[in-house]
mmCIF file of all heavy atoms in Angstrom:
data_model
loop_
_atom_site.group_PDB
_atom_site.id
_atom_site.type_symbol
_atom_site.label_atom_id
_atom_site.label_comp_id
_atom_site.label_asym_id
_atom_site.label_seq_id
_atom_site.Cartn_x
_atom_site.Cartn_y
_atom_site.Cartn_z
ATOM 1 N N ASN A 273 -48.019 60.698 42.755
ATOM 2 C CA ASN A 273 -48.778 61.941 42.610
ATOM 3 C C ASN A 273 -50.029 61.690 41.774
ATOM 4 O O ASN A 273 -50.360 60.549 41.458
ATOM 5 C CB ASN A 273 -47.895 63.053 42.013
ATOM 6 C CG ASN A 273 -47.392 62.730 40.621
ATOM 7 O OD1 ASN A 273 -47.841 61.801 39.967
ATOM 8 N ND2 ASN A 273 -46.440 63.502 40.155
ATOM 9 N N GLU A 274 -50.742 62.760 41.392
ATOM 10 C CA GLU A 274 -52.005 62.606 40.677
ATOM 11 C C GLU A 274 -51.837 61.952 39.304
ATOM 12 O O GLU A 274 -52.768 61.387 38.767
ATOM 13 C CB GLU A 274 -52.717 63.959 40.531
ATOM 14 C CG GLU A 274 -51.934 65.014 39.788
ATOM 15 C CD GLU A 274 -50.958 65.793 40.652
ATOM 16 O OE1 GLU A 274 -50.977 65.640 41.891
ATOM 17 O OE2 GLU A 274 -50.153 66.545 40.090
ATOM 18 N N GLU A 275 -50.607 61.996 38.750
ATOM 19 C CA GLU A 275 -50.341 61.358 37.462
ATOM 20 C C GLU A 275 -49.828 59.926 37.633
ATOM 21 O O GLU A 275 -49.530 59.259 36.655
ATOM 22 C CB GLU A 275 -49.332 62.181 36.675
ATOM 23 C CG GLU A 275 -49.827 63.577 36.354
ATOM 24 C CD GLU A 275 -48.723 64.476 35.841
ATOM 25 O OE1 GLU A 275 -47.568 64.009 35.749
ATOM 26 O OE2 GLU A 275 -49.015 65.636 35.543
ATOM 27 N N GLY A 276 -49.672 59.483 38.873
ATOM 28 C CA GLY A 276 -49.195 58.138 39.136
ATOM 29 C C GLY A 276 -47.687 57.993 39.114
ATOM 30 O O GLY A 276 -47.167 56.891 39.038
ATOM 31 N N VAL A 277 -46.977 59.109 39.187
ATOM 32 C CA VAL A 277 -45.512 59.090 39.144
ATOM 33 C C VAL A 277 -44.969 59.040 40.573
ATOM 34 O O VAL A 277 -45.340 59.856 41.419
ATOM 35 C CB VAL A 277 -44.960 60.334 38.415
ATOM 36 C CG1 VAL A 277 -43.444 60.332 38.425
ATOM 37 C CG2 VAL A 277 -45.485 60.390 36.993
ATOM 38 N N ILE A 278 -44.090 58.085 40.828
ATOM 39 C CA ILE A 278 -43.430 57.962 42.131
ATOM 40 C C ILE A 278 -42.087 58.679 42.040
ATOM 41 O O ILE A 278 -41.295 58.400 41.138
ATOM 42 C CB ILE A 278 -43.213 56.483 42.495
ATOM 43 C CG1 ILE A 278 -44.546 55.738 42.519
ATOM 44 C CG2 ILE A 278 -42.497 56.360 43.831
ATOM 45 C CD1 ILE A 278 -44.402 54.232 42.603
ATOM 46 N N VAL A 279 -41.824 59.604 42.959
ATOM 47 C CA VAL A 279 -40.589 60.382 42.934
ATOM 48 C C VAL A 279 -39.620 59.824 43.972
ATOM 49 O O VAL A 279 -39.970 59.675 45.142
ATOM 50 C CB VAL A 279 -40.852 61.874 43.208
ATOM 51 C CG1 VAL A 279 -39.557 62.665 43.189
ATOM 52 C CG2 VAL A 279 -41.833 62.438 42.182
ATOM 53 N N TYR A 280 -38.408 59.507 43.514
ATOM 54 C CA TYR A 280 -37.335 59.035 44.387
ATOM 55 C C TYR A 280 -36.351 60.190 44.569
ATOM 56 O O TYR A 280 -35.834 60.723 43.590
ATOM 57 C CB TYR A 280 -36.613 57.840 43.759
ATOM 58 C CG TYR A 280 -37.438 56.586 43.730
ATOM 59 C CD1 TYR A 280 -38.358 56.354 42.719
ATOM 60 C CD2 TYR A 280 -37.299 55.625 44.718
ATOM 61 C CE1 TYR A 280 -39.122 55.204 42.693
ATOM 62 C CE2 TYR A 280 -38.060 54.468 44.701
ATOM 63 C CZ TYR A 280 -38.966 54.269 43.685
ATOM 64 O OH TYR A 280 -39.724 53.127 43.663
ATOM 65 N N HIS A 281 -36.094 60.563 45.825
ATOM 66 C CA HIS A 281 -35.154 61.639 46.139
ATOM 67 C C HIS A 281 -33.851 61.002 46.617
ATOM 68 O O HIS A 281 -33.815 60.362 47.665
ATOM 69 C CB HIS A 281 -35.721 62.548 47.241
ATOM 70 C CG HIS A 281 -36.961 63.260 46.828
ATOM 71 N ND1 HIS A 281 -36.937 64.438 46.118
ATOM 72 C CD2 HIS A 281 -38.276 62.960 47.006
ATOM 73 C CE1 HIS A 281 -38.169 64.837 45.903
ATOM 74 N NE2 HIS A 281 -39.003 63.949 46.426
ATOM 75 N N LEU A 282 -32.796 61.193 45.843
ATOM 76 C CA LEU A 282 -31.489 60.617 46.151
ATOM 77 C C LEU A 282 -30.649 61.644 46.900
ATOM 78 O O LEU A 282 -30.508 62.780 46.448
ATOM 79 C CB LEU A 282 -30.784 60.202 44.857
ATOM 80 C CG LEU A 282 -29.365 59.683 44.965
ATOM 81 C CD1 LEU A 282 -29.329 58.391 45.763
ATOM 82 C CD2 LEU A 282 -28.780 59.459 43.585
ATOM 83 N N HIS A 283 -30.107 61.245 48.050
ATOM 84 C CA HIS A 283 -29.254 62.118 48.855
ATOM 85 C C HIS A 283 -27.875 61.479 48.961
ATOM 86 O O HIS A 283 -27.757 60.304 49.306
ATOM 87 C CB HIS A 283 -29.819 62.289 50.271
ATOM 88 C CG HIS A 283 -31.216 62.814 50.286
ATOM 89 N ND1 HIS A 283 -31.508 64.156 50.163
ATOM 90 C CD2 HIS A 283 -32.406 62.180 50.391
ATOM 91 C CE1 HIS A 283 -32.813 64.315 50.210
ATOM 92 N NE2 HIS A 283 -33.383 63.127 50.345
ATOM 93 N N VAL A 284 -26.835 62.259 48.650
ATOM 94 C CA VAL A 284 -25.453 61.795 48.787
ATOM 95 C C VAL A 284 -24.659 62.867 49.521
ATOM 96 O O VAL A 284 -25.134 63.987 49.722
ATOM 97 C CB VAL A 284 -24.802 61.503 47.413
ATOM 98 C CG1 VAL A 284 -25.507 60.375 46.702
ATOM 99 C CG2 VAL A 284 -24.775 62.729 46.532
ATOM 100 N N ALA A 285 -23.438 62.515 49.914
ATOM 101 C CA ALA A 285 -22.573 63.482 50.590
ATOM 102 C C ALA A 285 -22.246 64.625 49.636
ATOM 103 O O ALA A 285 -22.228 64.456 48.415
ATOM 104 C CB ALA A 285 -21.294 62.800 51.061
ATOM 105 N N GLU A 286 -21.984 65.778 50.209
ATOM 106 C CA GLU A 286 -21.697 66.984 49.424
ATOM 107 C C GLU A 286 -20.519 66.764 48.461
ATOM 108 O O GLU A 286 -20.562 67.195 47.312
ATOM 109 C CB GLU A 286 -21.383 68.146 50.370
ATOM 110 C CG GLU A 286 -21.078 69.448 49.690
ATOM 111 C CD GLU A 286 -22.267 70.379 49.684
ATOM 112 O OE1 GLU A 286 -23.209 70.160 50.442
ATOM 113 O OE2 GLU A 286 -22.236 71.320 48.895
ATOM 114 N N ASP A 287 -19.489 66.072 48.917
ATOM 115 C CA ASP A 287 -18.301 65.836 48.091
ATOM 116 C C ASP A 287 -18.569 64.875 46.934
ATOM 117 O O ASP A 287 -17.813 64.856 45.963
ATOM 118 C CB ASP A 287 -17.159 65.279 48.953
ATOM 119 C CG ASP A 287 -16.706 66.270 50.020
ATOM 120 O OD1 ASP A 287 -16.951 67.480 49.847
ATOM 121 O OD2 ASP A 287 -16.116 65.824 51.017
ATOM 122 N N ASP A 288 -19.621 64.074 47.028
ATOM 123 C CA ASP A 288 -19.916 63.081 46.002
ATOM 124 C C ASP A 288 -20.934 63.553 44.972
ATOM 125 O O ASP A 288 -21.259 62.807 44.040
ATOM 126 C CB ASP A 288 -20.431 61.790 46.656
ATOM 127 C CG ASP A 288 -19.344 61.059 47.414
ATOM 128 O OD1 ASP A 288 -18.174 61.148 47.011
ATOM 129 O OD2 ASP A 288 -19.669 60.395 48.409
ATOM 130 N N MET A 289 -21.439 64.761 45.105
ATOM 131 C CA MET A 289 -22.450 65.258 44.172
ATOM 132 C C MET A 289 -21.941 65.256 42.733
ATOM 133 O O MET A 289 -22.650 64.847 41.819
ATOM 134 C CB MET A 289 -22.893 66.671 44.558
ATOM 135 C CG MET A 289 -23.837 66.698 45.726
ATOM 136 S SD MET A 289 -25.375 65.883 45.368
ATOM 137 C CE MET A 289 -26.282 67.225 44.688
ATOM 138 N N GLY A 290 -20.713 65.689 42.537
ATOM 139 C CA GLY A 290 -20.139 65.720 41.191
ATOM 140 C C GLY A 290 -20.007 64.341 40.588
ATOM 141 O O GLY A 290 -20.188 64.160 39.378
ATOM 142 N N ARG A 291 -19.704 63.358 41.400
ATOM 143 C CA ARG A 291 -19.579 61.988 40.914
ATOM 144 C C ARG A 291 -20.923 61.438 40.457
ATOM 145 O O ARG A 291 -20.996 60.694 39.478
ATOM 146 C CB ARG A 291 -19.017 61.076 41.990
ATOM 147 C CG ARG A 291 -17.591 61.355 42.341
ATOM 148 C CD ARG A 291 -17.140 60.376 43.425
ATOM 149 N NE ARG A 291 -15.776 60.598 43.796
ATOM 150 C CZ ARG A 291 -14.726 60.100 43.137
ATOM 151 N NH1 ARG A 291 -14.924 59.364 42.077
ATOM 152 N NH2 ARG A 291 -13.509 60.348 43.537
ATOM 153 N N VAL A 292 -21.980 61.783 41.149
ATOM 154 C CA VAL A 292 -23.307 61.269 40.816
ATOM 155 C C VAL A 292 -23.888 62.008 39.614
ATOM 156 O O VAL A 292 -24.546 61.402 38.770
ATOM 157 C CB VAL A 292 -24.252 61.364 42.033
ATOM 158 C CG1 VAL A 292 -25.663 60.988 41.667
ATOM 159 C CG2 VAL A 292 -23.746 60.478 43.150
ATOM 160 N N ILE A 293 -23.619 63.295 39.510
ATOM 161 C CA ILE A 293 -24.159 64.078 38.397
ATOM 162 C C ILE A 293 -23.340 63.841 37.128
ATOM 163 O O ILE A 293 -23.890 63.663 36.058
ATOM 164 C CB ILE A 293 -24.217 65.563 38.767
ATOM 165 C CG1 ILE A 293 -25.220 65.756 39.896
ATOM 166 C CG2 ILE A 293 -24.606 66.405 37.563
ATOM 167 C CD1 ILE A 293 -25.235 67.132 40.494
ATOM 168 N N GLY A 294 -22.026 63.847 37.239
ATOM 169 C CA GLY A 294 -21.167 63.609 36.083
ATOM 170 C C GLY A 294 -21.025 64.835 35.209
ATOM 171 O O GLY A 294 -21.663 65.860 35.420
ATOM 172 N N LYS A 295 -20.157 64.719 34.212
ATOM 173 C CA LYS A 295 -19.939 65.831 33.285
ATOM 174 C C LYS A 295 -21.202 66.051 32.458
ATOM 175 O O LYS A 295 -21.711 65.119 31.834
ATOM 176 C CB LYS A 295 -18.763 65.531 32.348
ATOM 177 C CG LYS A 295 -17.426 65.577 33.020
ATOM 178 C CD LYS A 295 -16.322 65.401 32.019
ATOM 179 C CE LYS A 295 -14.979 65.472 32.728
ATOM 180 N NZ LYS A 295 -13.869 65.249 31.784
ATOM 181 N N GLN A 296 -21.679 67.270 32.491
ATOM 182 C CA GLN A 296 -22.885 67.691 31.773
ATOM 183 C C GLN A 296 -24.092 66.812 32.115
ATOM 184 O O GLN A 296 -25.007 66.650 31.319
ATOM 185 C CB GLN A 296 -22.644 67.691 30.266
ATOM 186 C CG GLN A 296 -21.566 68.664 29.849
ATOM 187 C CD GLN A 296 -21.311 68.635 28.361
ATOM 188 O OE1 GLN A 296 -21.836 67.800 27.639
ATOM 189 N NE2 GLN A 296 -20.484 69.564 27.902
ATOM 190 N N GLY A 297 -24.084 66.219 33.309
ATOM 191 C CA GLY A 297 -25.225 65.444 33.778
ATOM 192 C C GLY A 297 -25.358 64.066 33.153
ATOM 193 O O GLY A 297 -26.416 63.445 33.242
ATOM 194 N N ARG A 298 -24.306 63.560 32.542
ATOM 195 C CA ARG A 298 -24.396 62.277 31.837
ATOM 196 C C ARG A 298 -24.660 61.100 32.771
ATOM 197 O O ARG A 298 -25.443 60.213 32.446
ATOM 198 C CB ARG A 298 -23.120 62.028 31.040
ATOM 199 C CG ARG A 298 -23.009 62.938 29.855
ATOM 200 C CD ARG A 298 -21.789 62.622 29.041
ATOM 201 N NE ARG A 298 -21.703 63.573 27.940
ATOM 202 C CZ ARG A 298 -20.594 63.851 27.311
ATOM 203 N NH1 ARG A 298 -19.462 63.266 27.659
ATOM 204 N NH2 ARG A 298 -20.599 64.711 26.330
ATOM 205 N N ILE A 299 -24.005 61.071 33.919
ATOM 206 C CA ILE A 299 -24.213 59.958 34.844
ATOM 207 C C ILE A 299 -25.621 60.022 35.434
ATOM 208 O O ILE A 299 -26.300 59.005 35.559
ATOM 209 C CB ILE A 299 -23.136 59.939 35.939
ATOM 210 C CG1 ILE A 299 -21.773 59.652 35.300
ATOM 211 C CG2 ILE A 299 -23.456 58.910 37.003
ATOM 212 C CD1 ILE A 299 -20.598 59.742 36.252
ATOM 213 N N ALA A 300 -26.075 61.225 35.772
ATOM 214 C CA ALA A 300 -27.431 61.387 36.300
ATOM 215 C C ALA A 300 -28.461 60.923 35.276
ATOM 216 O O ALA A 300 -29.432 60.234 35.622
ATOM 217 C CB ALA A 300 -27.679 62.840 36.690
ATOM 218 N N LYS A 301 -28.256 61.260 34.012
ATOM 219 C CA LYS A 301 -29.173 60.819 32.959
ATOM 220 C C LYS A 301 -29.158 59.304 32.829
ATOM 221 O O LYS A 301 -30.210 58.677 32.665
ATOM 222 C CB LYS A 301 -28.794 61.461 31.621
ATOM 223 C CG LYS A 301 -29.112 62.924 31.528
ATOM 224 C CD LYS A 301 -28.665 63.481 30.196
ATOM 225 C CE LYS A 301 -28.764 64.995 30.187
ATOM 226 N NZ LYS A 301 -28.229 65.576 28.941
ATOM 227 N N ALA A 302 -27.976 58.711 32.922
ATOM 228 C CA ALA A 302 -27.865 57.256 32.813
ATOM 229 C C ALA A 302 -28.587 56.562 33.972
ATOM 230 O O ALA A 302 -29.267 55.550 33.768
ATOM 231 C CB ALA A 302 -26.402 56.841 32.774
ATOM 232 N N ILE A 303 -28.438 57.110 35.173
ATOM 233 C CA ILE A 303 -29.136 56.546 36.335
ATOM 234 C C ILE A 303 -30.644 56.614 36.109
ATOM 235 O O ILE A 303 -31.373 55.649 36.366
ATOM 236 C CB ILE A 303 -28.740 57.283 37.628
ATOM 237 C CG1 ILE A 303 -27.282 56.979 37.987
ATOM 238 C CG2 ILE A 303 -29.668 56.916 38.782
ATOM 239 C CD1 ILE A 303 -26.732 57.831 39.114
ATOM 240 N N ARG A 304 -31.120 57.742 35.612
ATOM 241 C CA ARG A 304 -32.560 57.894 35.371
ATOM 242 C C ARG A 304 -33.061 56.923 34.304
ATOM 243 O O ARG A 304 -34.154 56.374 34.422
ATOM 244 C CB ARG A 304 -32.865 59.339 34.975
ATOM 245 C CG ARG A 304 -32.708 60.307 36.140
ATOM 246 C CD ARG A 304 -33.073 61.730 35.754
ATOM 247 N NE ARG A 304 -32.982 62.584 36.916
ATOM 248 C CZ ARG A 304 -32.118 63.595 37.029
ATOM 249 N NH1 ARG A 304 -31.279 63.880 36.041
ATOM 250 N NH2 ARG A 304 -32.098 64.329 38.117
ATOM 251 N N VAL A 305 -32.262 56.710 33.257
ATOM 252 C CA VAL A 305 -32.657 55.781 32.197
ATOM 253 C C VAL A 305 -32.777 54.360 32.740
ATOM 254 O O VAL A 305 -33.752 53.652 32.460
ATOM 255 C CB VAL A 305 -31.655 55.838 31.022
ATOM 256 C CG1 VAL A 305 -31.846 54.672 30.069
ATOM 257 C CG2 VAL A 305 -31.786 57.144 30.282
ATOM 258 N N VAL A 306 -31.798 53.930 33.517
ATOM 259 C CA VAL A 306 -31.826 52.584 34.084
ATOM 260 C C VAL A 306 -33.026 52.432 35.023
ATOM 261 O O VAL A 306 -33.736 51.412 34.989
ATOM 262 C CB VAL A 306 -30.508 52.270 34.831
ATOM 263 C CG1 VAL A 306 -30.619 50.996 35.643
ATOM 264 C CG2 VAL A 306 -29.364 52.181 33.842
ATOM 265 N N MET A 307 -33.273 53.432 35.845
ATOM 266 C CA MET A 307 -34.396 53.359 36.782
ATOM 267 C C MET A 307 -35.735 53.333 36.048
ATOM 268 O O MET A 307 -36.641 52.599 36.423
ATOM 269 C CB MET A 307 -34.345 54.538 37.757
ATOM 270 C CG MET A 307 -33.185 54.477 38.723
ATOM 271 S SD MET A 307 -33.236 53.039 39.800
ATOM 272 C CE MET A 307 -34.685 53.409 40.761
ATOM 273 N N ARG A 308 -35.869 54.130 34.985
ATOM 274 C CA ARG A 308 -37.124 54.124 34.222
ATOM 275 C C ARG A 308 -37.338 52.783 33.532
ATOM 276 O O ARG A 308 -38.465 52.294 33.457
ATOM 277 C CB ARG A 308 -37.124 55.251 33.186
ATOM 278 C CG ARG A 308 -37.491 56.569 33.783
ATOM 279 C CD ARG A 308 -37.841 57.593 32.706
ATOM 280 N NE ARG A 308 -37.578 58.903 33.257
ATOM 281 C CZ ARG A 308 -36.663 59.743 32.812
ATOM 282 N NH1 ARG A 308 -35.924 59.447 31.769
ATOM 283 N NH2 ARG A 308 -36.490 60.909 33.394
ATOM 284 N N ALA A 309 -36.253 52.194 33.029
ATOM 285 C CA ALA A 309 -36.370 50.890 32.383
ATOM 286 C C ALA A 309 -36.823 49.827 33.382
ATOM 287 O O ALA A 309 -37.687 48.997 33.073
ATOM 288 C CB ALA A 309 -35.036 50.494 31.755
ATOM 289 N N ALA A 310 -36.258 49.855 34.569
ATOM 290 C CA ALA A 310 -36.662 48.900 35.606
ATOM 291 C C ALA A 310 -38.102 49.148 36.029
ATOM 292 O O ALA A 310 -38.855 48.204 36.288
ATOM 293 C CB ALA A 310 -35.733 49.001 36.804
ATOM 294 N N ALA A 311 -38.505 50.397 36.111
ATOM 295 C CA ALA A 311 -39.879 50.725 36.506
ATOM 296 C C ALA A 311 -40.875 50.273 35.438
ATOM 297 O O ALA A 311 -41.971 49.803 35.763
ATOM 298 C CB ALA A 311 -40.016 52.221 36.745
ATOM 299 N N THR A 312 -40.498 50.382 34.192
ATOM 300 C CA THR A 312 -41.377 49.959 33.109
ATOM 301 C C THR A 312 -41.654 48.467 33.191
ATOM 302 O O THR A 312 -42.767 48.022 32.932
ATOM 303 C CB THR A 312 -40.746 50.305 31.746
ATOM 304 O OG1 THR A 312 -40.521 51.714 31.693
ATOM 305 C CG2 THR A 312 -41.651 49.914 30.601
ATOM 306 N N ARG A 313 -40.655 47.707 33.592
ATOM 307 C CA ARG A 313 -40.853 46.257 33.742
ATOM 308 C C ARG A 313 -41.846 45.941 34.853
ATOM 309 O O ARG A 313 -42.495 44.901 34.838
ATOM 310 C CB ARG A 313 -39.522 45.578 34.033
ATOM 311 C CG ARG A 313 -38.559 45.675 32.864
ATOM 312 C CD ARG A 313 -37.339 44.896 33.110
ATOM 313 N NE ARG A 313 -37.681 43.479 32.916
ATOM 314 C CZ ARG A 313 -36.811 42.508 32.972
ATOM 315 N NH1 ARG A 313 -35.560 42.771 33.230
ATOM 316 N NH2 ARG A 313 -37.190 41.265 32.789
ATOM 317 N N ASN A 314 -41.968 46.856 35.836
ATOM 318 C CA ASN A 314 -42.905 46.674 36.948
ATOM 319 C C ASN A 314 -44.194 47.455 36.753
ATOM 320 O O ASN A 314 -44.966 47.607 37.698
ATOM 321 C CB ASN A 314 -42.239 47.099 38.262
ATOM 322 C CG ASN A 314 -41.065 46.236 38.621
ATOM 323 O OD1 ASN A 314 -40.987 45.081 38.225
ATOM 324 N ND2 ASN A 314 -40.134 46.790 39.365
ATOM 325 N N ASP A 315 -44.399 47.997 35.560
ATOM 326 C CA ASP A 315 -45.580 48.815 35.235
ATOM 327 C C ASP A 315 -45.731 49.991 36.191
ATOM 328 O O ASP A 315 -46.817 50.286 36.679
ATOM 329 C CB ASP A 315 -46.856 47.963 35.247
ATOM 330 C CG ASP A 315 -46.871 46.944 34.125
ATOM 331 O OD1 ASP A 315 -46.324 47.257 33.052
ATOM 332 O OD2 ASP A 315 -47.419 45.851 34.329
ATOM 333 N N GLU A 316 -44.625 50.673 36.458
ATOM 334 C CA GLU A 316 -44.629 51.865 37.302
ATOM 335 C C GLU A 316 -44.104 53.047 36.504
ATOM 336 O O GLU A 316 -43.408 52.876 35.516
ATOM 337 C CB GLU A 316 -43.731 51.667 38.529
ATOM 338 C CG GLU A 316 -44.162 50.585 39.471
ATOM 339 C CD GLU A 316 -43.180 50.394 40.625
ATOM 340 O OE1 GLU A 316 -42.158 51.110 40.667
ATOM 341 O OE2 GLU A 316 -43.431 49.538 41.466
ATOM 342 N N ARG A 317 -44.433 54.239 36.974
ATOM 343 C CA ARG A 317 -43.872 55.464 36.412
ATOM 344 C C ARG A 317 -43.110 56.145 37.535
ATOM 345 O O ARG A 317 -43.662 56.389 38.600
ATOM 346 C CB ARG A 317 -44.982 56.372 35.893
ATOM 347 C CG ARG A 317 -45.733 55.730 34.735
ATOM 348 C CD ARG A 317 -46.822 56.621 34.208
ATOM 349 N NE ARG A 317 -46.212 57.828 33.676
ATOM 350 C CZ ARG A 317 -46.836 58.990 33.596
ATOM 351 N NH1 ARG A 317 -48.075 59.118 34.003
ATOM 352 N NH2 ARG A 317 -46.228 60.051 33.107
#
């Protein structure tokens, strides 16, 4: 986008949404942290 941020849209089966999000969004936050760390190594946002 105009700020240089690349958006990744993750799609999973309806039954697996809870597994990916986790309790209080903890797994989703962890996925985002790992992805941001990897992106930083590639000089991406």
Side-chain angles (χ1 to χ4, degrees):
N273 62 12
E274 59 275 352
E275 298 168 359
V277 178
I278 302 169
V279 180
Y280 290 83
H281 296 276
L282 175 64
H283 303 278
V284 296
E286 180 100 16
D287 297 338
D288 290 329
M289 283 296 272
R291 292 180 180 276
V292 173
I293 294 172
K295 288 185 179 178
Q296 298 179 353
R298 289 183 182 158
I299 295 174
K301 288 178 190 175
I303 291 171
R304 289 183 177 116
V305 167
V306 169
M307 292 298 293
R308 279 195 206 115
T312 301
R313 294 186 76 176
N314 296 334
D315 293 327
E316 297 177 359
R317 296 180 63 206

